[in-house]
């Protein structure tokens, strides 16, 4: 069932955005998760922009990163002026051109931006799930997205595109539903977390769980673990930048002072920036969701799940075309990890383009303006459209 | 005044270790710190091994890293079997040969391993200083070490050697007291923290201060902020390893299980290891000391302090010989930072040897067995002894 919510005119930026919620499993069937537990009902908050063509062949699914949401493009109205998180990439005449493509982006399950997650009411108790929420996987997220896409009358996606944890979802789509995807664009991502990436997530989780207000995940009435969540975000934030980008942005510049304070105030701009990022995050995100989403990312392991330990075997299931992009200064998902996946794809004879983009901005680079990335994605979609779109561009 | 405590026979490992405490400023004079505040009295816990020669020219000062202590070499007795932290480097016939050199290592001020720090009684109140302890700098630490060295009848050190934050102390010695140091060996260190290094320290500090038990630094009666300190240590610990070393050590191996738990227990060995390291650290270290020592490291800025922003100008004060060593996988103090200091030394015509050692173990590499490092330090000290020791080795 697709419940209509709002049609929002974004004017110049991306035309009409449809903001909706798709729900299934109200009768209790829901989704049997990879853990073996059942989740029901399941709601996905999603947005669409552009127009689906008659045969439903011009749809592109965008998968958001760890703490993202479904508001991927466009500006709603004056009272909510924040543009979508990939506004620079999606819109009329942009690389993901909403004059040509129908763009969908849904919030992942386990999240706290409108889809079913630990903040939602547990039907068994009527209270928020909290730590009663089942652990979900990237595979579970993608299976929900598949249900949503089917409900929209789309049998096969023209492309699935996403960076970071969104890129994991792209990879999952390409291997789990190979016949349902013409093309896949995993950006700044990996087929499995390194020990170091797991370590950073674990420290972030421990920071949340060390906060007495976390209270075993049951805090929705007693008050949220804001301090723990802020520290968790600060840890994550360092991994999204790079040594070089932090030097450019902050170096050792002092914050609002000419001399060192000789106390524990924020002397340096980088300290003040991290504190600000931590506090800002607390306003928009739920601590339990952060635990669940980082766990899903840590669990993701394409070669174990689909190839019995072999990435080549895992990608033997894939079809279609791939554009894989990494960034030189991304040390969270370094280029060597993209190269490993590209090699495994090529060993299966897949049509894969790979580019490592020179960029100093660290992992976040995939979200920042980059002419090279624009040209790569735009050009790749042109080719995919020519090869896969029924009747070419004119079908829209 | 030097207060005698214990002479400990370590048997085969390093001969006799003298464990002592040096105190000055009991009458209230103490040390005027770089912050302008006064610290009095000041005690330094220190250990020595080997024998000081007649003219006091064979003394080597070892500077410990962030959370280290004065127990640098030797094994005390059966009831305390933990060897000194640099036992592999220091002892009879080892690179820092206690048959030839008189080795000194003191705990830094601000620490909690016997020297004056926030856990000590504030003479004004009779209670532990806590957050009343003044912020100290690397310069303040070194000035105390100088007082200790003088008290031992040593006018000029044959060498000052240390890694990481210990390396900062070495650099400080070489520029603050150039005529008092024949040779300096800064290992795996930097002349100033990068924004990224400050960021990691700030997250660690925030983790401590977010723990309600921290209580503004006043917790010595009410109970320590163990959770916050454990998280802080976990953050730090990641920066001491490397992507590669964590892959070697842990990869994605599971801890005590064959399948994922689908809960928030430690699934992966790396998670279990970090939790263990965090909890172990809490047993031996004080949270306030951690705040003060990381702050001192962040404040260290040789070029600002001594060169008005120019590292070349700062090193124009230095004399003597340098051996600078970095490690390929050290991303906390990457090689480019060592190269910057070496260039500034060379521009001043200083006698400097530099080596980047190929090692996968990250920042911690300087503490691990490494034949190359042994050969470099042993050879360098041979040369320094030949050039600086009165009458050569026979003077001992």
């Amino acid at each position: 069932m697709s419940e209509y919510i709002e049609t929002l005119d974004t004017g110049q930026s991306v035309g009409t955005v449809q903001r909706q919620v798709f729900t299934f499993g109200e009768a209790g069937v829901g989704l049997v998760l990879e853990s073996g537990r059942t989740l029901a009902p399941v709601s996905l908050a999603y947005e669409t922009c552009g127009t689906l063509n008659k045969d439903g062949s011009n749809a592109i699914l965008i998968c958001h990163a760890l703490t993202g949401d479904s508001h991927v493009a466009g500006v709603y109205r004056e009272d909510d002026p924040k543009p979508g998180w990939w506004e620079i990439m999606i819109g009329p005449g942009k690389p993901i051109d909403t004059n040509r493509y129908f763009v969908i982006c849904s919030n992942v399950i386990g999240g706290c931006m409108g889809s079913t997650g630990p903040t939602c009411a547990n039907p068994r108790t009527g209270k928020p799930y909290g730590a009663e929420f089942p652990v979900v996987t990237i595979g579970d997220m993608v299976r929900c997205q598949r249900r949503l896409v089917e409900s929209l009358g789309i049998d096969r996606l023209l492309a699935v595109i996403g960076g970071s944890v969104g890129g994991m979802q792209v990879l999952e789509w390409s291997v789990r539903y190979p016949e349902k995807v013409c093309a896949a664009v995993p950006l700044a991502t990996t087929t499995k977390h390194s020990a170091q990436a797991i370590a950073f997530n674990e420290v972030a989780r421990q920071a949340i769980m060390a906060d007495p207000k976390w209270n075993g995940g049951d805090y929705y009435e007693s008050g949220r673990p804001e301090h723990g969540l802020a520290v968790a975000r600060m840890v994550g934030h360092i991994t999204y930048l790079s040594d070089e980008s932090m030097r450019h942005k902050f170096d050792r510049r002092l914050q609002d002072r000419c001399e060192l304070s000789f106390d524990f105030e924020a002397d340096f701009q980088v300290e003040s920036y991290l504190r600000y990022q931590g506090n800002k995050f607390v306003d928009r995100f739920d601590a339990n969701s952060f635990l669940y989403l980082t766990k899903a990312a840590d669990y993701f392991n394409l070669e174990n799940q689909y190839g019995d330990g072999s990435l080549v075997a895992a990608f033997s299931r894939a079809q279609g075309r791939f554009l894989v992009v990494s960034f030189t200064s991304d040390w969270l998902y370094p280029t060597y990890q993209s190269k490993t996946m590209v090699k495994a794809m090529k060993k299966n004879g897949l049509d894969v383009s790979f580019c490592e983009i020179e960029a100093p901005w660290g992992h976040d680079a995939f979200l920042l303006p980059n002419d090279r990335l624009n040209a790569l994605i735009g050009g790749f979609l042109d080719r995919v459209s020519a090869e896969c779109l029924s009747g070419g561009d004119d079908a829209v």
Side-chain angles (χ1 to χ4, degrees), chain A:
Chain A
M1 194 197 96
S2 185
E3 178 198 347
Y4 173 75
I5 299 191
E6 273 189 285
T7 298
L8 304 155
D9 184 359
T10 65
Q12 294 302 311
S13 74
V14 71
T16 299
V17 170
Q18 302 269 351
R19 185 162 68 174
Q20 314 191 346
V21 176
F22 165 68
T23 302
F24 65 95
E26 291 105 324
V29 181
L31 189 74
V32 179
L33 302 165
E34 291 187 1
S35 67
R37 290 180 63 187
T38 299
L39 187 64
V42 181
S43 290
L44 293 193
Y46 71 101
E47 293 189 13
T48 63
C49 42
T51 307
L52 188 64
N53 63 7
K54 284 175 196 158
D55 62 357
S57 64
N58 70 332
I60 294 178
L61 178 70
I62 309 293
C63 302
H64 69 70
L66 192 68
T67 64
D69 58 31
S70 59
H71 182 35
V72 68
V75 179
Y76 291 143
R77 281 170 305 194
E78 280 179 16
D79 62 343
D80 184 4
K82 202 181 168 200
W85 58 265
W86 223 8
E87 175 72 6
I88 55 172
M89 185 61 74
I90 299 168
K94 294 182 185 173
I96 301 175
D97 186 346
T98 49
N99 289 334
R100 301 168 65 192
Y101 310 120
F102 177 66
V103 172
I104 312 159
C105 183
S106 66
N107 184 223
V108 294
I109 55 167
C112 54
M113 299 296 188
S115 295
T116 303
T119 62
C120 298
N122 180 347
R124 198 173 54 74
T125 63
K127 292 185 175 176
Y129 277 104
E132 294 288 309
F133 194 76
V135 166
V136 294
T137 64
I138 300 291
D140 294 328
M141 294 171 186
V142 164
R143 288 160 67 214
C144 292
Q145 289 165 1
R146 173 74 194 125
R147 297 280 284 263
L148 164 65
V149 167
E150 274 179 341
S151 80
L152 296 172
I154 298 159
D155 178 57
R156 192 181 188 205
L157 289 163
L158 183 66
V160 189
I161 305 175
S164 193
V165 176
M168 294 179 189
Q169 296 161 47
V170 172
L171 292 167
E172 178 81 25
W173 264 95
S174 73
V175 171
R176 185 183 278 268
Y177 301 122
E179 73 289 357
K180 302 297 183 188
V181 185
C182 292
V185 184
L187 307 169
T189 193
T190 183
T191 59
K192 61 178 182 186
H193 266 183
S194 66
Q196 191 184 59
I198 295 172
F200 279 117
N201 274 349
E202 172 65 2
V203 174
R205 284 190 293 265
Q206 289 294 315
I208 290 170
M209 296 195 281
D211 188 330
K213 289 196 168 176
W214 179 64
N215 189 33
D218 181 11
Y219 54 75
Y220 296 103
E221 288 180 11
S222 54
R224 305 180 309 150
E226 296 185 350
H227 292 305
L229 182 58
V231 172
R233 180 59 167 185
M234 289 168 74
V235 173
H237 209 88
I238 298 175
T239 68
Y240 308 150
L241 305 178
S242 72
D243 182 38
E244 188 179 351
S245 70
M246 292 180 99
R247 189 163 53 252
H248 284 305
K249 263 177 126 110
F250 313 110
D251 201 2
R252 294 178 56 88
R253 282 186 290 279
L254 299 179
Q255 176 74 13
D256 299 335
R257 63 182 79 232
C258 301
E259 294 191 344
L260 298 170
S261 70
F262 287 99
D263 62 26
F264 290 94
E265 292 306 303
D267 283 290
F268 298 100
Q269 284 180 10
V270 65
E271 296 175 302
S272 176
Y273 173 83
L274 283 176
R275 290 183 189 189
Y276 171 78
Q277 291 293 340
N279 292 332
K280 196 176 70 165
F281 185 66
V282 164
D283 291 337
R284 75 172 178 88
F285 216 79
D286 173 62
N288 283 328
S289 268
F290 194 86
L291 298 179
Y292 281 92
L293 298 183
T294 54
K295 198 75 177 174
D298 288 349
Y299 273 18
F300 184 64
N301 187 339
L302 207 67
E303 64 202 54
N304 270 15
Q305 175 92 358
Y306 294 105
D308 203 16
S310 157
L311 196 57
V312 175
F315 278 118
S316 71
R317 304 165 54 103
Q319 308 169 9
R321 300 142 192 84
F322 288 86
L323 169 64
V324 178
V325 179
S326 70
F327 296 86
T328 47
S329 58
D330 182 352
W331 59 283
L332 185 59
Y333 304 137
T335 290
Y336 77 81
Q337 298 179 4
S338 287
K339 284 185 174 167
T340 301
M341 76 176 83
V342 167
K343 271 183 201 160
M345 290 168 180
K346 286 191 170 169
K347 280 200 176 164
N348 284 292
L350 291 167
D351 175 352
V352 50
S353 304
F354 167 62
C355 183
E356 182 188 29
I357 295 180
E358 178 80 33
W361 309 113
H363 181 61
D364 266 354
F366 81 94
L367 288 170
L368 298 172
N370 188 305
D371 290 343
R372 189 81 197 278
L373 184 62
N374 288 0
L376 281 168
I377 290 179
F380 181 72
L381 290 179
D382 282 344
R383 179 162 76 87
V384 170
S385 301
E387 292 171 5
C388 303
L389 253 186
S390 317
D393 290 357
D394 301 334
V396 180

